[in-house]
Amino acid sequence: MDIGADEFEQSLPLLQELVLGADFVGLDIEFTGLRSNLSGPQQISLFDLPSEWYLKTRQSVQQFTVCQIGLSVFSSIEGESNKYVAHSCNFFLFPTTFGILDSEFSFQASSVQFLNQYGFDYNKFLKHGIPYMNEEQEKKIKHDILTGNWRVRSSLDKDQIKAVIDEVTRWLDLAEEGDWMTLAGITGFQAFEVQLVLRKALPDVWTVPRDQGVVVKKVSQQHRWYLENTSCDRESCWKEKILLSARGFSVFFQMLVKAQKPLVGHNMMMDLLHLHEKFFRPLPESYDEFKLNIHSLFPVLIDTKNVTKDVWRELSFPRVSNLSEVYEVLNSDLNPTRDSGPVIIHASKCEKYVETKYPHEAAYDAFLCGSVLLKVAHLLLWKVRGAVPIPEPSFPLYLDVLAPYVNQVNLIRAGVPKINFSGPDHPSVRPPILILSVRRWPEVSEQQVYREFQNLCKFDVRRLTRSQFLLLTNKFKDARSILKEYRCHPTLQVSLYRYWRHSPDINCLLQVCGIVITWALMAFLLGRPRP
């Protein structure tokens, strides 16, 4: 089910009911770009501590925006053993533009091509996207609306607003009290702004929103005063409606946070960064503060990428590269619990996913996340129980077996493989760092070192000294291969990096200590009385 700005407010009560009754919620987000093309030390690297990775990625999140959010709300069916219904929704989003609130964001060409390849509706994103804002923006716009301290800038530009006022003014010259006209095609959030402008500029009109546009009625000033002070359309009430419309998807985000349901994604770190930045607060500079905020918003996170990595390794499933392939494997004969696992059905209005695959459509991927979670949890339960009969499965039982994976979110290209949102991060399990010593190759660069090894395996490269470089990979076999291949190389010598042996800081300290000890010894010897 696709939801744009026109359908969103009418859908809120149903969405709230679904979330409150859910066992968990699957999530997927599409962006206008993934990562800025940063160079040099600003590129993410396997050398990065989680805090360094966060600060680098934070810049990209601030640069790009969310264009589509997919949610798949999974609820167990009462009276049906291990059976779930999934309500899957696509939300097209576009940043709120009202008064002085006018966000800037970038498009990344590769991301645009990628989404276009899979049929993304850019027209719905740009023309019918649901507005949204974070708490900081909401505080500012709420103050401006309730105090009347605002001006037209974004939703409709000044020329369009002027054209609307001119049209209504010309009509007023000929109209009699009680006559009305319709400004066609102005609906949704823009209708609020047009009404706000007209009521402020023209004291003898009254406006009413309708499905086909904004209806403008000529009234006396006495009748205008009566309408403003006695109807349910009083200005204070009306401004609250404007704020509700301007907040848009942020209203539902706060409902989702309040419901405190487990949130499930696949490789969901970027999703969490954008949720914080776009709907909660601007990302803080502190990595620890970011972790605490996310844990407060969503106390139970499950990243199916993190779960399936362990399962694939233990059960020797064929290697797969994306969420769709994980789903296919779990639905195949390779899964020993395929026939005994949970039954998942699509809710009404979500039937398009029954027979047809829509990869990288956010709601479809959110559905895959939830389905993979249930199937993997059942597989883990079967593995733990062994020959012991499995009691009637339930989602709380699945959560018990998933406990080691809760709040562990996969991290791509960093010094640790995952982030723990409910405690300290786990130590690195990466292969050891290697040190490359270069001979007879003056002025060699990191890029040249990278190209030297890239045909054999991929390493991240970091300069240590003028002729020494650190090499790091995420595959143990690549580290062993390089150590073996370059054991007797005449120009490039590769060995295991030992901090106490190779660190320039330690070497400098040892040299200083050596000098101090030498001078002390000489002073002692020279200062001794001669016999």
Side-chain angles (χ1 to χ4, degrees):
M1 179 167 60
D2 292 345
I3 299 178
D6 297 340
E7 308 92 356
F8 178 68
E9 287 189 29
Q10 293 80 4
S11 305
L12 273 176
L14 174 60
L15 292 170
Q16 183 176 24
E17 181 183 346
L18 288 173
V19 170
L20 290 175
D23 288 293
F24 67 93
V25 177
L27 168 78
D28 184 71
I29 303 181
E30 302 297 340
F31 319 109
T32 59
L34 284 177
R35 187 172 293 280
S36 304
N37 294 318
L38 301 173
S39 59
Q42 292 304 310
Q43 287 184 319
I44 59 169
S45 163
L46 293 174
F47 292 100
D48 291 337
L49 297 172
S51 57
E52 295 171 321
W53 185 96
Y54 167 76
L55 288 175
K56 292 178 181 179
T57 308
R58 176 175 175 260
Q59 298 178 49
S60 296
V61 172
Q62 293 168 333
Q63 180 175 345
F64 301 115
T65 196
V66 171
C67 53
Q68 187 183 64
I69 287 185
L71 293 176
S72 194
V73 182
F74 283 75
S75 306
S76 51
I77 300 176
E78 190 174 353
E80 300 269 4
S81 177
N82 206 22
K83 192 171 185 179
Y84 296 81
V85 59
H87 291 81
S88 304
C89 303
N90 276 315
F91 300 90
F92 289 86
L93 304 186
F94 193 84
T96 297
T97 54
F98 183 87
I100 63 170
L101 190 60
D102 191 8
S103 303
E104 295 181 5
F105 61 87
S106 300
F107 283 91
Q108 196 166 32
S110 58
S111 294
V112 172
Q113 286 181 324
F114 177 81
L115 289 176
N116 191 55
Q117 178 183 350
Y118 289 99
F120 182 79
D121 190 344
Y122 280 97
N123 191 54
K124 193 153 191 176
F125 156 57
L126 294 170
K127 296 184 68 174
H128 303 288
I130 304 165
Y132 64 86
M133 62 180 71
N134 60 36
E135 289 182 359
E136 187 176 286
Q137 294 168 320
E138 180 182 338
K139 184 178 179 180
K140 171 62 178 171
I141 198 172
K142 185 175 184 178
H143 177 268
D144 289 348
I145 289 175
L146 296 183
T147 61
N149 181 28
W150 66 279
R151 64 181 184 274
V152 175
R153 171 174 165 179
S154 314
S155 282
L156 292 175
D157 63 33
K158 294 179 181 179
D159 290 340
Q160 290 175 299
I161 287 291
K162 184 177 182 301
V164 168
I165 293 176
D166 289 346
E167 181 182 356
V168 174
T169 302
R170 288 194 300 270
W171 169 79
L172 278 174
D173 289 340
L174 302 175
E176 297 182 1
E177 187 177 324
D179 289 350
W180 55 273
M181 67 171 293
T182 299
L183 298 171
I186 301 177
T187 59
F189 180 52
Q190 290 183 344
F192 284 118
E193 188 166 9
V194 167
Q195 290 182 88
L196 197 59
V197 170
L198 289 175
R199 290 188 185 187
K200 191 171 183 178
L202 304 170
D204 54 348
V205 302
W206 189 248
T207 59
V208 181
R210 291 286 184 262
D211 291 341
Q212 69 274 21
V214 175
V215 173
V216 182
K217 186 176 182 180
K218 186 172 183 178
V219 297
S220 66
Q221 293 189 21
Q222 293 84 352
H223 189 47
R224 163 76 177 259
W225 180 91
Y226 173 80
L227 290 170
E228 287 177 340
N229 291 278
T230 61
S231 72
C232 61
D233 201 17
R234 292 189 301 272
E235 185 174 354
S236 60
C237 177
W238 194 64
K239 287 181 177 180
E240 288 293 341
K241 291 181 180 178
I242 296 175
L243 180 61
L244 177 68
S245 184
R247 290 169 62 202
F249 189 82
S250 302
V251 176
F252 179 62
F253 173 79
Q254 291 170 3
M255 289 180 183
L256 189 62
V257 169
K258 189 175 181 180
Q260 299 283 279
K261 299 295 181 179
L263 191 65
V264 179
H266 188 82
N267 225 358
M268 65 190 303
M269 188 62 193
M270 294 298 292
D271 297 340
L272 295 174
L273 287 161
H274 276 278
L275 287 177
H276 190 299
E277 170 79 14
K278 303 304 188 294
F279 309 113
F280 180 54
R281 295 171 191 163
L283 285 168
E285 291 188 10
S286 167
Y287 166 69
D288 290 331
E289 184 181 346
F290 163 71
K291 284 178 59 176
L292 287 172
N293 288 345
I294 289 294
H295 188 54
S296 174
L297 294 170
F298 304 107
V300 180
L301 296 169
I302 307 176
D303 187 342
T304 53
K305 176 72 172 182
N306 183 46
V307 181
T308 54
K309 277 197 304 186
D310 280 359
V311 173
W312 252 240
R313 190 180 301 115
E314 291 181 19
L315 296 180
S316 300
F317 283 169
R319 291 185 63 183
V320 292
S321 60
N322 58 50
L323 178 62
S324 297
E325 291 176 349
V326 171
Y327 179 75
E328 293 299 328
V329 170
L330 290 171
N331 278 328
S332 72
D333 292 334
L334 295 170
N335 180 4
T337 64
R338 185 188 69 164
D339 296 329
S340 63
V343 176
I344 304 166
I345 62 172
H346 293 280
S348 60
K349 298 184 180 180
C350 306
E351 292 92 346
K352 77 173 189 175
Y353 296 150
V354 174
E355 298 293 338
T356 308
K357 301 174 184 177
Y358 290 85
H360 303 293
E361 184 170 287
Y364 180 73
D365 283 357
F367 167 76
L368 293 187
C369 286
S371 301
V372 165
L373 178 79
L374 290 172
K375 292 175 185 295
V376 168
H378 191 82
L379 186 59
L380 288 171
L381 188 61
W382 169 81
K383 183 175 175 294
V384 168
R385 295 280 175 170
V388 180
I390 300 177
E392 183 173 312
S394 63
F395 189 68
L397 193 60
Y398 286 154
L399 271 183
D400 287 343
V401 78
L402 287 165
Y405 304 98
V406 170
N407 294 326
Q408 312 295 312
V409 175
N410 190 63
L411 196 59
I412 299 176
R413 295 194 66 76
V416 297
K418 57 188 175 184
I419 284 178
N420 178 19
F421 279 94
S422 53
D425 293 325
H426 297 283
S428 174
V429 291
R430 302 289 192 199
I433 298 175
L434 306 181
I435 183 168
L436 168 69
S437 298
V438 181
R439 297 177 180 176
R440 297 190 297 275
W441 192 355
E443 305 302 326
V444 59
S445 67
E446 292 179 356
Q447 291 74 22
Q448 288 172 311
V449 171
Y450 176 83
R451 288 194 292 270
E452 170 70 25
F453 294 106
Q454 68 177 352
N455 291 330
L456 189 60
C457 51
K458 296 293 178 64
F459 277 92
D460 280 2
V461 181
R462 178 173 290 182
R463 183 184 291 276
L464 184 65
T465 66
R466 184 176 180 182
S467 60
Q468 290 182 313
F469 297 84
L470 299 180
L471 309 177
L472 188 56
T473 179
N474 55 10
K475 296 180 181 179
F476 283 90
K477 67 175 184 178
D478 288 348
R480 290 192 295 266
S481 175
I482 287 295
L483 285 170
K484 181 179 178 181
E485 188 77 17
Y486 284 79
R487 180 179 299 169
C488 301
H489 197 282
T491 305
L492 307 175
Q493 291 188 343
V494 182
S495 59
L496 291 174
Y497 173 73
R498 305 297 186 197
Y499 178 77
W500 292 104
R501 179 183 174 187
H502 297 111
S503 170
D505 293 336
I506 297 297
N507 287 332
C508 180
L509 179 62
L510 290 176
Q511 289 175 13
V512 171
C513 290
I515 293 171
V516 171
I517 291 172
T518 300
W519 277 102
L521 183 59
M522 289 178 63
F524 173 75
L525 293 174
L526 293 174
R528 289 178 60 186
R530 296 183 180 180

